[in-house]
Amino acid sequence: MTEAVQVVHQLRRRVRFVVPALKGEAERLCLLEILLRKHAAIREVRVVAAIASLAVRFDPRLMPVGNLLRLVDTVAGTVARAPRQAPPPPVDCAEGELGEVSVAVEGMTCASCAALIQMSLNRDPMVRTASVNYATATATVVGRLDRPALEARIGALGYQARPMDTLSQRKMIVERERAHVRDARRRAIGACLLSLPVMVIGMAMPRSRLWHVVEFVLTTPVVLGAGRPFFQRAVKLARNRAANMDTLIALGSGAAYGHSVASLLAGRHHLYFEAAAGIVSFVLLGRWLEERAKGKAGDAIRRLLDLQPPTATVVRGEVEVVVPVDDLVVGDVLVVRPGERVPVDGEVLGGRTTIDESMVTGESMPVVKGPGDDVIGGCINGAGSFRMRAKAVGQDTVLAGIVRMVDHAQAAKLPVQRMADRVSAVFVPGVVAVAGATFATWLAGGARFSTALGNAVSVLLIACPCALGLATPTAIMAATGQAARRGIYIRNGEALETASTLSVLVFDKTGTVTEGRPVVSRLDVVPGFDRARVLALVAGAEMGSEHHLGRAVIDHARSLGIEPPRADEVTAEIGKGITARVGGHTVLVGSRAFLAKRGIAVEAPPLAGQTPVLAAIDGRFAALFGISDRPRPTSAAAIERLHELGVRTIMVTGDVEDAAHAIAAEVGIPEVVAQASPARKQEIVAELRAAGEAVGMIGDGINDAPALAAADVGFAIGTGTDVAIEAAPVTLVNGDIAKVAEMIELSRKTMRIIRQNLVWAMGYNTIAIPGAALGELSPMVASSAMALSSVSVVTNSLRLQKDK
């Protein structure tokens, strides 16, 4: 253990730690608690902030105590060294009330709806932060609100909140969205068919009362039928002293319709039925096109949801029963037949088959599975039938985690969007004020009431902030969906934005630039030691290790028919070495410096291009292992592409100089820092950032987690450790580092499109509002232009999905 964490008390299933650096730091201890709870082996975490103590209860079958010690040490060190943020409201972690709740929100019709809900939630004292995304129709709240309370608060504003915890619930929401698009299409087409003759009659300007009555008859079902939702939502918002775009549409179309009805009853000829019908029709048509385009942007989530089968075959006694997949529990025995999708994550109990795991690994070749092998929910079974035991269900499956990651990224708000959010939040009240001023100014200038009203209605309609609100989130949705299809899973939207500015990329070596499957290519045993016995003891010491080099020793021993014995009292220094008691012997395995620090003299030749691992038994140097690892086939091309993009590359590894420089030269990385500890890796990232560089870090191991968390953007290899994946905002599913260059290119294009969208949306409103106030735009033209603005922004964002 490092100075970051001290072990106070250790039992088989419970360990108590003290973190001196976090004494009195309640918020950071809370973060540490949340991060530790994410691991399946950890059953309980209790924090005492006053003395910086935490007690961890864990399952030693899922995580050996040595791994737990390293995990807590790494995560605690990362949290302790993280830059301080603005102090949040006081939180009592012990009560467990702080949580994150996400719901789908139905009924939002424009960006101002999202701004209204978010502003209302952020005013609630039970809410720390709230984020509402119009494009993804989701709301995420961090605070002490449970789901029913959140749903009630959103419902009071006139919207419907629905749970989205399971994949089945997400599928139901997707089906509702599809039904909503179909309903929007029906309303739009119906309204347009009725409005067309009204517009023709209006342009002819007949003076016959009969034609005026025909206009009234055709307009009424458009305004009060198809347009009824506008008025219903406007009334609900008015009761809550709020307003949004529905308020503007209801005011505009209602004023034109009401004025026309009053004029018809009074026998006057200045009617605006065509304007009232046209406003509603054009808005409905625009929203249908917008909803359909938004649906295309969300295709990535839909494809992922379709991977989980709706039902599973469960063995109950001797009977096979088909049940909904949501009813499965851990431990259920399932039957999977040829061609079916694996329902949930689990372990094969009987039978042999091949499974297509390209969904997760990106590997196109099916993988052979037999008893004892793990299978992943959503993958396609081949020609064989097998039985499996469910090990993860519901939100704990790999597929649910991927969906959740894409969800978070799509619902994220980039820093570039904050200005748009602030503008949208004050837009509606400002537009109503401008419309009122337009009406009053025209009347004061001697214009007729109908002219003043028409110009005011045009201002209400042309100023819709929908395009502004859609400019960023639709681009994020399209980009993250495109990234997911390429095997790049982005955990938050800020990583997508920041990746466009990266100037330096720091690489780990083993498992990142190389394949991560090192093999023992040389073994020199000191005379006086038995070769097989040394190999068994060293492999036994490494059994509790997740390090690639340790696994190479274990695999080498087993390939020779040597089964490693169990180790006790395992203590590891990350990036340096490991100490253990194996078969009554004290075994040290690690670097030359690790042994020298303990007074063990080492006489071993240098190994060109190989990584040396030295072993000592009972205080005497016993063996030298030479371990080699091949670069990934795509590494050299990936490095070359990064250099073409203007990104500087550095390899920072815990390996020795010779091995590190040999691999770096082979793949084309010009700068190398060898024998770097986890703390040194983090320091290098911090030094580069302090020098003004935008730094990306790519790694796969526990020793990379601090640097991954410290970088501007961390890229974790999907085949790496859970700690590394949790620390990084981006995961490369199949481990291909060429995907980093792809993400940087995608990020740069995304930011270009977002800037184009924002310029178009703000420029459109800037030019259009004065034009409407000066009487240059009729209400019908204003409503159609407003709809076209939103559709054009979404269509521009969808260009991101066409990249190959």
Side-chain angles (χ1 to χ4, degrees), residues 470-767:
L470 289 168
T472 300
T474 53
I476 297 174
M477 289 175 68
T480 51
Q482 178 67 251
R485 283 191 288 276
R486 299 182 184 187
I488 305 168
Y489 290 105
I490 303 171
R491 195 181 301 272
N492 62 61
E494 287 195 15
L496 179 64
E497 178 178 355
T498 308
S500 67
T501 65
L502 291 181
S503 58
V504 178
L505 195 61
V506 177
F507 287 87
D508 174 47
K509 181 181 77 69
T510 306
T512 302
V513 175
T514 63
E515 292 179 340
R517 292 192 292 269
V519 294
V520 176
S521 52
R522 175 174 176 174
L523 173 55
D524 296 340
V525 178
V526 174
F529 286 93
D530 178 74
R531 186 182 186 89
R533 182 60 175 164
V534 168
L535 184 55
L537 293 176
V538 174
E542 291 285 6
M543 282 295 289
S545 170
E546 293 182 358
H547 199 281
H548 299 284
L549 302 184
R551 300 307 305 175
V553 174
I554 296 168
D555 292 342
H556 184 65
R558 286 176 170 166
S559 70
L560 298 176
I562 299 172
E563 185 59 33
R566 179 180 174 182
D568 298 312
E569 302 177 20
V570 179
T571 304
E573 288 188 26
I574 298 175
K576 296 179 181 179
I578 190 169
T579 303
R581 290 284 295 175
V582 187
H585 298 277
T586 300
V587 181
L588 281 72
V589 186
S591 65
R592 186 184 301 265
F594 180 75
L595 269 62
K597 184 178 178 181
R598 286 153 181 79
I600 299 173
V602 175
E603 295 182 7
L607 301 178
Q610 299 178 62
T611 302
V613 173
L614 296 90
I617 299 174
D618 294 329
R620 293 174 54 206
F621 174 55
L624 166 67
F625 293 80
I627 298 179
S628 57
D629 190 10
R630 293 178 301 175
R632 294 179 185 268
T634 59
S635 291
I639 301 301
E640 183 180 1
R641 181 62 187 139
L642 287 167
H643 291 164
E644 290 173 357
L645 292 172
V647 179
R648 173 183 163 200
T649 56
I650 305 174
M651 178 187 289
V652 180
T653 176
D655 211 343
V656 295
E657 293 278 352
D658 288 345
H661 281 281
I663 294 294
E666 193 170 345
V667 299
I669 297 178
E671 300 178 59
V672 178
V673 178
Q675 296 181 305
S677 65
R680 180 58 186 148
K681 290 183 179 183
Q682 185 186 31
E683 288 172 4
I684 289 171
V685 170
E687 288 167 4
L688 289 168
R689 293 186 67 192
E693 303 278 10
V695 184
M697 168 71 193
I698 176 169
D700 72 323
I702 291 176
N703 58 333
D704 299 317
L708 287 168
D712 291 293
V713 182
F715 299 87
I717 299 296
T719 53
T721 64
D722 290 343
V723 177
I725 292 172
E726 290 291 342
V730 181
T731 301
L732 310 178
V733 176
N734 63 359
D736 184 1
I737 62 174
K739 299 295 182 184
V740 177
E742 289 186 29
M743 179 174 169
I744 292 173
E745 290 179 295
L746 180 63
S747 173
R748 291 178 179 177
K749 181 159 189 180
T750 301
M751 295 312 298
R752 282 198 303 271
I753 284 181
I754 287 175
R755 285 190 286 269
Q756 290 167 5
N757 287 348
L758 289 172
V759 168
W760 164 253
M762 288 190 281
Y764 163 83
N765 286 121
T766 301
I767 296 170

Side-chain angles (χ1 to χ4, degrees), residues 124-176:
D124 193 313
M126 299 290 286
V127 173
R128 172 183 283 189
T129 60
S131 177
V132 182
N133 192 306
Y134 168 51
T136 58
T138 57
T140 300
V141 169
V142 176
R144 297 181 178 84
L145 282 183
D146 57 13
R147 182 167 286 99
L150 176 59
E151 291 174 355
R153 282 160 173 75
I154 293 175
L157 295 172
Y159 304 92
Q160 179 72 44
R162 298 191 182 276
M164 47 186 283
D165 296 333
T166 67
L167 295 183
S168 296
Q169 288 174 340
R170 288 301 315 274
K171 287 181 182 179
M172 291 175 62
I173 292 169
V174 167
E175 288 304 317
R176 288 194 189 96

Side-chain angles (χ1 to χ4, degrees), residues 30-39 42 75 79 726:
C30 182
L31 173 60
L32 174 60
E33 177 186 354
I34 291 170
L35 290 173
L36 292 176
R37 284 181 183 274
K38 291 183 177 181
H39 295 271
I42 294 180
V75 176
V79 171
E726 290 291 342

Side-chain angles (χ1 to χ4, degrees), residues 4 68 118:
L68 173 70
Q118 180 172 305

Side-chain angles (χ1 to χ4, degrees), residues 328-346:
L328 297 178
V329 297
V330 173
D332 277 343
V333 176
L334 315 176
V335 176
V336 183
R337 295 185 172 83
E340 293 182 343
R341 288 192 181 273
V342 180
V344 293
D345 300 351

Side-chain angles (χ1 to χ4, degrees), residues 245-318:
M245 190 58 207
D246 289 327
T247 305
L248 303 185
I249 295 167
L251 285 173
S253 60
Y257 179 77
H259 173 72
S260 300
V261 170
S263 296
L264 177 64
L265 294 175
R268 295 192 293 268
H269 299 293
H270 296 291
L271 307 181
Y272 281 91
F273 283 123
E274 75 279 6
I279 289 167
V280 173
S281 299
F282 283 128
V283 172
L284 289 175
L285 180 62
R287 287 194 174 170
W288 168 45
L289 296 174
E290 180 184 307
E291 289 292 337
R292 192 174 67 168
K294 280 169 57 184
K296 291 180 181 178
D299 279 347
I301 286 288
R302 290 183 177 84
R303 291 193 184 99
L304 288 171
L305 293 174
D306 288 340
L307 293 177
Q308 186 189 59
T311 60
T313 303
V314 185
V315 179
R316 306 288 193 201
E318 297 298 322

Side-chain angles (χ1 to χ4, degrees), residues 305-451:
L305 293 174
D306 288 340
L307 293 177
Q308 186 189 59
T311 60
T313 303
V314 185
V315 179
R316 306 288 193 201
E318 297 298 322
V319 181
E320 295 181 4
V321 182
V322 177
V323 301
V325 74
D326 279 353
D327 292 345
L328 297 178
V329 297
V330 173
D332 277 343
V333 176
L334 315 176
V335 176
V336 183
R337 295 185 172 83
E340 293 182 343
R341 288 192 181 273
V342 180
V344 293
D345 300 351
E347 177 185 357
V348 176
L349 297 178
R352 296 190 71 83
T353 187
T354 57
I355 292 182
D356 178 2
E357 294 185 336
S358 57
M359 166 195 95
V360 174
T361 65
E363 297 291 342
S364 58
M365 292 297 294
V367 181
V368 177
K369 297 289 184 179
D373 291 333
D374 289 335
V375 290
I376 300 171
C379 296
I380 301 174
N381 184 27
S385 178
F386 65 94
R387 287 195 175 195
M388 60 173 284
R389 176 180 289 111
K391 293 174 65 177
V393 300
Q395 288 295 86
D396 296 327
T397 64
V398 171
L399 178 58
I402 292 172
V403 171
R404 197 159 51 245
M405 192 181 298
V406 176
D407 256 340
H408 274 279
Q410 292 193 341
K413 292 191 175 182
L414 306 191
V416 72
Q417 190 181 348
R418 292 170 188 159
M419 177 182 65
D421 283 347
R422 287 195 295 268
V423 172
S424 295
V426 300
F427 215 82
V428 173
V431 167
V432 172
V434 172
T438 299
F439 180 73
T441 301
W442 278 92
L443 279 183
R448 290 185 301 185
F449 178 86
S450 57
T451 301

